Amino acid sequence: MDIEQVGVIGAGQMGNGIAHVFASAGYHVRLNDVSADALAAAQALIAKNMDRQVAKGTMTAENRDAALGRISTTLDLGELGQSDLIIEAATEKEDVKNEIFKALQPHLKPETILTSNTSSISITRLASRTDRPEKFMGFHFMNPVPVMQLVELIRGIATDEETFKTCHAVVERLGKTSATAEDFPAFIVNRILMPMINEAIYTLYEGVGSVTSIDTSLKLGANHPMGPLELADFIGLDTCLSIMNVLHDGLADTKYRPCPLLTKYVEAGWLGRKTKRGFYDYRGETPVPTR
């Protein structure tokens, strides 16, 4: 199946990045959100990020203008129905995703492929609530989408070969690399990454090290570009907690128990960079550890 028209649901951190890379690769993109302000902010951020690419010489001004011209926005979810491929990138809550796919269903072409950018939720279960489980799969981009090379492709139990091959070809056209993951909680990247972050939070919780010492140790001792607590703030502590809960519930193993300190930060609304406070306080010129 040839993919030309792509719908993206959710104009947040992931959705705007997904729209960016698809438009840059020549696809016509319709970006949907429930908030007009979010759509306007996404368009402004995409333009800013493309301007940065032009300044670095990785994109021409002509290609930037053409790519921006291929992005349209809508508050009406039904307008995405005629897309060849739809990527849901809404909040990491299964009931929200199910409601989105339910609302989309009456508007879809028979051949439209549905995908979710979920980082942890069962693709098989999401697909089962739609009218096309064979044309449904996980399409998990890494953050920030324009920079990160990997896309996880996750088949549900009913996903057919044509759908997989089509999505695999899309990843290649985007100039990215795919890794195929089986449909188990958190797939590959987050199955490995989140327990590491959770263990770093336990290390802080138990007083083994401070925020600074933990992040410095992993950056200099393991050659990580960001420390685990800094990375948690970048991802969003609510997202980290959600994924740990999916792992804990889905695999029934105590090694995935979310650290109580992570829960406490989320309860406080200290979710990281997006709320200006997490394991670091971002309200000043320089981030300051909060513990």
Side-chain angles (χ1 to χ4, degrees), residues 87-119:
I87 303 168
E88 172 274 315
T91 186
E92 191 71 354
K93 294 181 179 178
E94 188 167 348
D95 57 342
V96 172
K97 295 179 187 298
N98 285 331
E99 284 301 315
I100 287 169
F101 290 125
K102 181 180 178 182
L104 261 177
Q105 194 161 299
H107 307 282
L108 296 174
K109 299 190 297 183
E111 63 271 23
T112 299
I113 293 174
L114 294 179
T115 68
S116 177
N117 184 59
T118 179
S119 54

Side-chain angles (χ1 to χ4, degrees), residues 148-195:
M148 300 297 279
Q149 182 67 18
L150 182 72
V151 180
E152 282 184 315
L153 293 178
I154 307 101
R155 301 192 213 208
I157 196 170
T159 306
D160 64 26
E161 188 66 17
E162 181 185 3
T163 298
F164 173 77
K165 287 181 176 178
T166 299
C167 290
H168 186 272
V170 168
V171 175
E172 290 188 336
R173 180 170 162 184
L174 294 176
K176 295 189 180 294
T177 301
S178 63
T180 305
E182 293 299 317
D183 186 23
F184 288 99
F187 319 130
I188 295 172
V189 173
N190 282 317
R191 172 76 177 265
I192 297 167
L193 176 63
M194 285 302 161

Side-chain angles (χ1 to χ4, degrees), residues 64-107:
R64 173 201 60 200
D65 295 342
L68 290 173
R70 286 190 286 269
I71 300 173
S72 61
T73 63
T74 180
L75 293 168
D76 183 358
L77 187 63
E79 290 187 10
L80 270 60
Q82 294 306 299
S83 304
D84 303 315
L85 170 68
I86 293 176
I87 303 168
E88 172 274 315
T91 186
E92 191 71 354
K93 294 181 179 178
E94 188 167 348
D95 57 342
V96 172
K97 295 179 187 298
N98 285 331
E99 284 301 315
I100 287 169
F101 290 125
K102 181 180 178 182
L104 261 177
Q105 194 161 299
H107 307 282

Side-chain angles (χ1 to χ4, degrees), residues 48-75:
K48 179 181 176 182
N49 288 337
M50 287 187 180
D51 286 344
R52 187 178 292 120
Q53 288 178 299
V54 172
K56 290 180 177 178
T58 58
M59 175 183 273
T60 67
E62 183 181 15
N63 287 343
R64 173 201 60 200
D65 295 342
L68 290 173
R70 286 190 286 269
I71 300 173
S72 61
T73 63
T74 180
L75 293 168

Side-chain angles (χ1 to χ4, degrees), residues 115-161:
T115 68
S116 177
N117 184 59
T118 179
S119 54
S120 61
I121 298 169
S122 168
I123 298 303
T124 297
R125 198 163 60 238
L126 288 173
S128 72
R129 312 283 170 78
T130 74
D131 65 341
R132 61 196 66 207
E134 73 285 350
K135 290 187 176 296
F136 192 110
M137 69 181 299
F139 211 142
H140 181 215
F141 289 84
M142 305 297 121
N143 185 33
V145 181
V147 175
M148 300 297 279
Q149 182 67 18
L150 182 72
V151 180
E152 282 184 315
L153 293 178
I154 307 101
R155 301 192 213 208
I157 196 170
T159 306
D160 64 26
E161 188 66 17

